[in-house]
Amino acid sequence: MHPDHLPEDCRPISNLLSRIGDKWTILVMRVLEQGEPIRFKELHRAIGGISQRMLTVTLRHLERDGLVIRTVYPTIPPRVEYELSERGLGLQQAMVPLFEWTKDNARDIYQSQIAFDLAKDKAVT
Amino acid sequence: MHPDHLPEDCRPISNLLSRIGDKWTILVMRVLEQGEPIRFKELHRAIGGISQRMLTVTLRHLERDGLVIRTVYPTIPPRVEYELSERGLGLQQAMVPLFEWTKDNARDIYQSQIAFDLAKDKAVT
DNA sequence: CCGCATCCTACGTGATACTG
DNA sequence: CAGTATCACGTAGGATGCGG
């Protein structure tokens, strides 16, 4: 059922992108990029529009992949801090060209989409 | 509802990654990367496990973003060829570091996941 | 041969309320 | 403060059959 007979490089990349390509991961990593450990609540505020649940889920994924480090201080009230790991930092750096490309092409892509949708509508008419 | 008050760079990047980060886009682009125009059926065979529908959807998205070029030869039977556009090629190149990073870190990430899941199970016990 | 339309299922996402 | 549990919803994805 899965593309097992593809060049081996493709699936891991596709899998990785599927995970970091979700709705929030990039946003979270970008906030974490500052280097400073940051608390859950701060993250929640820094990232607009994310629910508590999705922030938790996203952080768990990142932690599971060893991309962020989670530190718990068993105080009362509890205090939990998140920071990018070495690996996470490396991923950030690997994504820089993609960031650049996106910035350079976002407008053109948007134009293409408009044009495409327009042609579509005209075809219907 | 959306993270509108984030640094402007983040959302477009997140959006782009969401689209190219889906299950098939990377795989399709990788096959297209060869440079040769390629027919639908060939693509379908080259990419194992993809349904006809998802291949169509994926190609439409890529076409809409101006990343692939779709050429129709109105012969009988019909002949449709796909190839990477300039823009698509640029995206490919921008992703090279990410590909490299993934190749270098895939194993470590996998290990982290195992360890994480194990710790989880132990916690339950 | 190409790929669109339909139906259906699974999962990601979000809102809310509750626990340590 | 941090995180879990529950429910509800929308979209992605897969299977199948039809049309150009």
Side-chain angles (χ1 to χ4, degrees):
Chain A
M1 191 201 242
H2 281 286
D4 283 330
H5 48 304
L6 278 170
E8 286 73 33
D9 303 355
C10 294
R11 269 177 312 113
I13 292 167
S14 189
N15 289 339
L16 175 78
L17 278 185
S18 293
R19 270 183 309 94
I20 70 172
D22 67 11
K23 197 171 179 180
W24 302 111
T25 296
I26 297 296
L27 267 30
V28 171
M29 287 190 68
R30 270 256 156 157
V31 175
L32 256 33
E33 193 179 15
Q34 312 308 327
E36 293 298 307
I38 181 174
R39 301 186 62 174
F40 185 89
K41 190 71 174 246
E42 293 179 88
L43 262 173
H44 194 212
R45 263 185 295 108
I47 306 169
I50 190 173
S51 66
Q52 220 176 19
R53 170 180 153 73
M54 287 320 296
L55 181 53
T56 301
V57 169
T58 303
L59 286 169
R60 282 297 172 284
H61 282 163
L62 287 169
E63 189 192 357
R64 192 171 105 100
D65 292 341
L67 294 170
V68 310
I69 298 170
R70 178 172 180 268
T71 313
V72 182
Y73 301 92
T75 57
I76 295 187
R79 172 189 186 83
V80 182
E81 287 186 346
Y82 296 90
E83 62 185 317
L84 230 49
S85 69
E86 280 296 317
R87 192 184 297 166
L89 202 61
L91 175 55
Q92 280 284 353
Q93 286 161 0
M95 288 198 301
V96 167
L98 195 54
F99 285 23
E100 298 293 331
W101 185 90
T102 304
K103 206 170 1 181
D104 296 342
N105 289 271
R107 185 166 296 274
D108 289 348
I109 291 179
Y110 184 66
Q111 300 287 348
S112 294
Q113 292 175 349
I114 304 283
F116 184 89
D117 295 342
L118 228 79
K120 202 107 221 175
D121 289 347
K122 237 189 298 189
V124 175
T125 311
Chain B
M1 190 201 243
H2 281 290
D4 283 329
H5 48 304
L6 279 170
E8 286 73 33
D9 304 354
C10 294
R11 268 179 311 115
I13 292 168
S14 189
N15 289 339
L16 176 79
L17 279 185
S18 294
R19 269 183 309 95
I20 70 172
D22 68 10
K23 198 170 178 181
W24 301 110
T25 296
I26 297 296
L27 268 30
V28 171
M29 287 190 68
R30 271 255 155 159
V31 175
L32 256 35
E33 193 179 15
Q34 312 308 327
E36 293 298 308
I38 181 172
R39 302 187 61 174
F40 185 90
K41 191 69 174 250
E42 293 181 87
L43 262 172
H44 194 212
R45 264 185 294 106
I47 305 171
I50 190 173
S51 64
Q52 225 175 18
R53 168 180 152 74
M54 287 319 296
L55 181 53
T56 301
V57 170
T58 303
L59 286 169
R60 280 299 169 283
H61 281 163
L62 287 169
E63 189 192 359
R64 190 171 106 102
D65 293 340
L67 295 170
V68 310
I69 298 170
R70 177 173 180 268
T71 313
V72 182
Y73 301 92
T75 57
I76 294 187
R79 173 189 186 83
V80 183
E81 288 186 346
Y82 297 89
E83 61 185 319
L84 230 49
S85 68
E86 280 295 318
R87 191 184 297 166
L89 202 59
L91 176 54
Q92 280 284 353
Q93 285 161 0
M95 288 198 301
V96 168
L98 195 54
F99 284 24
E100 298 292 331
W101 185 90
T102 304
K103 205 169 4 181
D104 296 342
N105 289 269
R107 183 165 297 275
D108 289 348
I109 291 180
Y110 185 66
Q111 300 288 348
S112 293
Q113 292 174 349
I114 303 282
F116 184 90
D117 295 343
L118 229 79
K120 202 108 219 172
D121 289 348
K122 238 189 300 191
V124 174
T125 309

